[in-house]
Amino acid sequence: MNETPANDNNDLASFGYRQELKRSMGSFSSFAAGFSYISILTGLFQMFHLGYGVAGPGFFWTWPFVLVGQLLVALCFAELASRFPLSGGVYQWAKFTGNPFLGWMTGWIYLACLIVTIAAVAMALQVSLPQISGSFQIIGNSNDAKSVAVNAILLGSVLIIISTIVNARGIKLLALINNIGVFTELIGIVLLIILLFLNRVRSPVEAVVHIKNAGSAFNAFPGLKIFFAATALTASYVLYGFDTAGTLAEETHDPRKKAPRAILQALLAAGFAGLLVLLLALMAVPSFGMPDLGNINGGLPMLVKSVLGETTGRLFLCNVIFAIVVCTFAVHSGAVRLMFAMGRDGYLPFSKSLSHVSAKTQTPVLATLLCGLAAIIILAVNLQFPKVFELVTSIAILWANLAYWIVVALQLRNRIILTRNGEDADARFSLGKWGFPVNILALAWSSFMVINVSWPRTATYGEGWYNQYAAWIYTAGLIGLGVLIYNYRLYKKQQIS
């Protein structure tokens, strides 16, 4: 039985908040928010070349490995989304299962992740647009690394500006575009799977088990070190953000029921669809030794065009472009809701302005503008790094998984000490007796992800100690800045009271 909007608003009031955002999202829109964030067409077409470049066709096995691990985390998040149906997702979950400081730190880290991810996703246009037409390589040429980086920033900045405008207009327009985008992406994925299957040149076993003719670098199944490196590059980048449905809870009808379901559906749908795309792409590729498969100017876009032909390949790349656009909108919306939630609690600088909701659009407009501006600044600043795509992306992955780690650790702590973990009468999703073992495995997986993604590898971060340790340096700086801001805001609040 679905709750009425009045009951949803009363539920929100029980947490000490009043309804300010427009509650208009249904089941499909909630699912679409998580699916469009994950967006396998965006992630796979952007990151395929990195995984393949490190481990060849054997990197396929990282996908199911990461999918199972992230599913453990998603199950824990589904429980929390049912118990705490509030804007801000992981921030609220950490605050209510831990304390205000841990909630703040989780939200702060994840907010940084989301803003970096807006920039990283927007840069994905560089991977696909120039392969549709060379005219999209506006600056320089695609053979010059500096020109590629500058052109990516230009294309990405234009997309972020559009995303800012759409997000500022309100959730109704955003949800409509998201729904159309996800429907289009699902159709595109199904067609792509069918066409790759019809053009296969080898069996699944030959593609991902008994790998032959893979070139001198790929003539054996990748070793453990390479396997872990590939895990940190492609599958880990794509399969996160499924918590977005929880972040938009205050704009969803009956979020205690719909948000947990949407979290799991988004991850499973994207995970299995991505698994099929990867497998069939490797079954259809003419030769594993094609050098551009591991190159940013080639990768999966080049593979699709070589298998399906220039015309059909370009049509699919147009679908990919739409997926990138919608994914950027979804990530941007998640960042805005997180900033709004943290501002509403008074722990961000200029909290009152950041949490102000426009009476006309029922959207926190200033937070929307600030998230877009911050993402564009990140694009510009990262121009100085020689491996701009990999560096920005990898750090975003680390921060996402660090925020996830804090949440599942706090949830497990509560299970162990048996506090705040009684059955919530209003919760609509529970793991029951499976909660404890799933939570333990989720924490172990999140610990592995944090260590693995942050490990200073040349394959991930490039040459030079600064690049290799960038994730640790940036994370330490982010946490230090977060502690300073929190204590300053706490001091100011105490003075006012």
Side-chain angles (χ1 to χ4, degrees), residues 68-69 71-73 75-76 79 408 411-413 415-416 421 430-446:
V68 171
L71 180 59
L72 295 169
V73 177
L75 286 167
C76 293
E79 271 196 327
V408 295
Q411 191 178 18
L412 181 60
R413 184 205 66 167
R415 292 186 195 277
I416 293 173
N421 196 49
S430 174
L431 294 174
K433 65 181 180 180
W434 291 100
F436 191 75
V438 168
N439 207 158
I440 291 176
L441 292 173
L443 182 61
W445 166 255
S446 291

Side-chain angles (χ1 to χ4, degrees), residues 103-124:
W104 154 261
M105 191 53 62
T106 304
W108 175 249
I109 291 170
Y110 202 49
L111 179 61
C113 158
L114 291 175
I115 292 174
V116 170
T117 302
I118 295 170
V121 173
M123 284 197 296

